[in-house]
Amino acid sequence: MQRFRRCAVAVIATALVSAAAAAQEATTGAIQGRVVDAQSLAIPGATVVVTGLQGARTFVTDEQGNFLVAFVTPGTYDVRVELQGFRPSGVDDIAVALGERVSLDPITLRVGQLTEAVEVVASEPVVDMTNTSVGASLQSDFLSRLPTQRNVSDVVQLSPGVTDSGRVGSANVSISGASGLENQYVIDGVNVSNPGYGGIGSYSIVFGSLGQAVPFDFVDEVQVRAGGYEAEFGQATGGIVQAVTKSGTNSFRGSGFTYWQPDALVADFMQTTLPNATRGPEAVNTTDTFESDAGFEAGGPIWRNHMFFFGAVDRQWTRTSLIAPEGFPLRDLGPVDRERSAVAYSGKVTYQVNSVNRLDFSVFGDPSSGASGPQRRTALLRTDLAGFSEIDYGGHNQTLRYESVLTPSWLLSASVAHAGNSIEERPSVNEWSVTDSTFTPDRISGGIGFYEVGNDGRNLQLQAKTTYLWRAHEFRGGLLFEDIDYDNIIDRTGPSITLPDGTQTATGAQILVLPDPTLGRIYRVTRANITNVRQTQQQYFSFFLQDTWQVGQRLTIKPGLRYEQQELVGNLESFTWDGNWAPRLGVTYDPLGEGHWKVFGSWGRFFAKIPNDLAARALSADADYFDAALTRPIPDGVAAGTPSTETHFVTAGLSAADFDPDSRATYSDEWLAGTEYELWSGLNVGLTYQHRNFGRVLEDVGTLPMVAYFLEDVPGSDSVEYFITNPGPGTPVSGDLGVPIAFEEPIHDYDAVTLTASKRFGDRWALQSSYRWSRLEGTFEGFFRNDNGQSDPAITSLFDFPTNDPTYTTIGAPLEGFRGDIRYLGALGRGPLPLDRPHQLKVYGNRMFGDGLNVGLGLTSQSGTPLTAFAANPLYDSPGEIPETPRGAGIETIDGFRTRTPWTTTVALHADYAFTISGQQRLTLVGDIFNLLNTQEVVNYDYYTEANFGVPNPDFGRAIEFQQPLALRIGARYQW
């Protein structure tokens, strides 16, 4: 490991001195063009002046008349071209987006005098003729005119190909069919993806994603790449989400703002009725919500035309009033408030040394906390207030970036960045968590059970990139090294216990009380950990090479190659995945040669970056006891419990998981084809087809069939041990049960056809709209398993047992009462995956009127998700694990038999009115209405047939989640 780290740092250090960086950067953009005379001959030596809010930069055209303005802050620019003996010419209002290189039409200089008026003869292209990626670029000004939520993570769903990712949380979206833990998130060039699980910012298996709480007021642009991206981008089998914070300009400007959504302006929430609360959090209803924030932003010059600053702070408050279900002890409390607050901040200093050298230093973060109360919704399902807790969470991030135009053909960029995030929970009571299933509903008492004493991730990032222009080629390359530490200290409330084999646990225990016809009841420790300190490291290294080859005036070919290497070091084992070569190829063609229409296609391989959770394994055990004090273990072979079992002590992960020496990292392949056309000035329409499939999956497997753990004298069945490999038909299976049993290839196929229409703001209106037909089917969802809500990337329970196993039903069903069929986790059950939504329609746009009024519209309409009945895992005793039918076959719900949840449509409106006070001072009043029609369709049903193994679920088929109700938010902004 140390050798790996030293070599990677040495390579990066060399690159920082001698290499260079791409024109398409994570924080800037570029403008390129050509200057010609009236006969279209190149004009060398012409002076090109590019002017924006940070002043003017001057360049000179080369021998071919070309010029390149690299590393410009996203915004609007004017270009002026002058040469003695010619009339000046130029282009106005060039919009440069994040990571975009704007290629101007040739600028023609005509014979005349410099004193004559500037002739604006060229126009800004709207269709990017060299780009094969699909997604959306969302400017902050546009977002402020729409009915959207306020944080960066919220607005990503405006992009085509992006949808809700189910139980992983709204902040972690599904992009192009991937689960919500397969995206990469980059702000100001800092990778802020969670190192433990892969979500955005602070993330835990209890709370899901709790950050980033950065409002879009702080950013210039949010960019979503949903497919077709070049070799420069990696670490994701989903999408790439990038944002760049605002920079200062030559004008001192700023604003103060506040937004307020009180509970009085929110309609009534639909209430779930779940007598057993099997799914836990969904049984606790929301009665009211309150949201508000207040902040300011300011920026300006430190040294005019050279050095600028920007700073912003936003204090955020949320309050959610929760109520226990009818029939539960805490119902008499009435609504109980869960309060959280955050302080989002951003700061940047930009130093434009001269026209060819630039430095940026940026910081941003979102330290947050939750006051003592029901920070977990399940705290209100208990018999007392012992489930209350406090939490602290959030992150701090910093980056320093240097960019330089070494020569007109050679560009340099180098950066060092640090990302840090954490979650810490503090229980109010330190007692065992006890669930008594001898009552209906279950009675839960004692402490909260599992919690994280510390969840800390730190990522040091060193990066260098280069672009070299030679004739019709743009050669690009780059290096990236990440040194990651992820520490996860877990605990379970209550004192440690002694296991039946005499081992003392490191944590308390979670206890399930089961009825027994002879003993009355037994006490099952469903989880207790033998280790709880999980310190992990990761060293990640990658490089890429890419060429953009302009063949004539119409054809562009973009071959690229990316290499990735990753080493994980955990508390039990370490392993290195190398040899991850990811080729990419893109092609664009301009049929008319006019820059208004392109046909494009791409193929690429995308490797997943395995989060550190794979290395953060904790040894655990389950055991049954005769007494509540857990001093008298029930020996194996004694029939006890309901349903009756003779297996009473099961361990998991007592030794380090073995790594298959031939195992390789997870990857997906993508084919993409499309066309884009500028229908009229500024309005683009497009049509794309996208196909993705996993070519290989890295997962942990248990090599024994499920039923082997319930039979006597099967070697290895005393503990569930895991093997990290690429599961497939060749994966070995232990335990000879007399019939062929095997693992199967995971299946994940995504196909989508997308229509888009988008328009940058101009002529007083803008539009971002799309319709997508898609199909997501197979047997493997990805890093997050929605079936049971499992946040364990690369170690889900899907492959813990061989799936092509007939003994599950032929032996397990009659002998032990197994429900469902484990073969439905494999090819026999292939069908629509949980995130499959065949139809998605999005329309977001705004129109400004001459009297200071702006009106915005937001419409989202989409199909429901498929429904499949799931039984509990017989060995783990956990619900939602084993399908009872092929995927998507449907269930009997309280609303009748359904194969999908209902179609949902949400309409939102925005209006703001600006009063001019004096000069640049304005007061803008803002109003947003979300879910204008107050439609509250069912979003999900309880599809668990069992609450625990052998225990029917009384909540099966009931509605557990509805659309959010109508809400009105008001706000005000003072600008100067």
Side-chain angles (χ1 to χ4, degrees), residues 23 147 152 416 553 774:
V152 168
V416 56
Q553 298 299 314
S774 63

Side-chain angles (χ1 to χ4, degrees), residues 196-427:
Y197 297 93
I200 182 172
S202 300
Y203 185 95
S204 79
I205 60 175
V206 173
F207 296 103
S209 185
L210 293 171
Q212 297 271 335
V214 177
F216 63 71
D217 307 77
F218 292 8
V219 304
D220 268 327
E221 183 179 350
V222 179
Q223 186 179 87
V224 182
R225 297 177 186 267
Y229 38 87
E230 301 89 342
E232 178 180 354
F233 303 98
Q235 302 190 17
T237 49
I240 308 292
V241 179
Q242 294 179 294
V244 58
T245 61
K246 292 180 178 178
S247 303
T249 68
N250 272 326
S251 300
F252 181 74
R253 53 160 295 278
S255 68
F257 53 86
T258 183
Y259 291 86
W260 190 44
Q261 183 178 296
D263 49 15
L265 300 181
V266 179
D268 292 338
F269 285 77
M270 289 288 290
Q271 305 293 293
T272 61
T273 304
L274 303 172
N276 195 56
T278 302
R279 293 286 290 269
E282 291 88 346
V284 176
N285 284 297
T286 300
T287 58
D288 296 296
T289 60
F290 169 84
E291 297 180 10
S292 69
D293 72 296
F296 73 90
E297 55 166 347
I302 300 174
W303 175 15
R304 189 170 178 80
N305 293 329
H306 289 283
M307 186 175 288
F308 315 92
F309 79 93
F310 175 81
V313 174
D314 183 36
R315 182 67 186 270
Q316 305 169 13
W317 298 269
T318 62
R319 184 183 70 241
T320 304
S321 297
L322 306 172
I323 191 168
E326 292 282 359
F328 281 70
L330 297 184
R331 177 73 178 194
D332 293 341
L333 290 177
V336 181
D337 291 340
R338 181 184 70 190
E339 297 179 339
R340 293 177 181 170
S341 63
V343 179
Y345 68 89
S346 175
K348 181 185 287 186
V349 174
T350 301
Y351 180 29
Q352 190 71 52
V353 183
N354 50 41
S355 292
V356 296
N357 290 283
R358 169 186 173 130
L359 277 168
D360 282 284
F361 177 66
S362 173
V363 298
F364 59 92
D366 61 341
S368 310
S369 64
S372 180
Q375 292 300 327
R376 308 181 184 200
R377 300 176 73 94
T378 51
L380 296 179
L381 298 177
R382 313 172 70 85
T383 60
D384 51 33
L385 303 182
F388 282 17
S389 63
E390 300 176 351
I391 57 171
D392 291 323
Y393 58 96
H396 301 276
N397 311 275
Q398 311 85 34
T399 180
L400 176 64
R401 177 179 295 272
Y402 169 66
E403 297 167 320
S404 176
V405 181
L406 299 178
T407 73
S409 301
W410 191 14
L411 311 179
L412 164 68
S413 175
S415 66
V416 56
H418 173 264
N421 58 72
S422 64
I423 298 177
E424 178 186 349
E425 186 176 16
R426 295 179 296 278

Side-chain angles (χ1 to χ4, degrees), residues 15 18-25 30 32 68 70-71 99 101 232 404-414 464-470 473-479 544-548:
S18 61
Q24 289 188 331
E25 280 303 320
Q32 69 178 19
L68 172 63
F71 310 125
R101 176 178 294 183
E232 178 180 354
S404 176
V405 181
L406 299 178
T407 73
S409 301
W410 191 14
L411 311 179
L412 164 68
S413 175
K465 298 179 184 177
T466 188
T467 293
Y468 187 75
L469 307 176
W470 179 73
H473 295 269
E474 176 189 304
F475 298 111
R476 299 170 53 199
L479 303 167
F544 75 92
L545 299 171
Q546 184 161 312
D547 179 24
T548 301

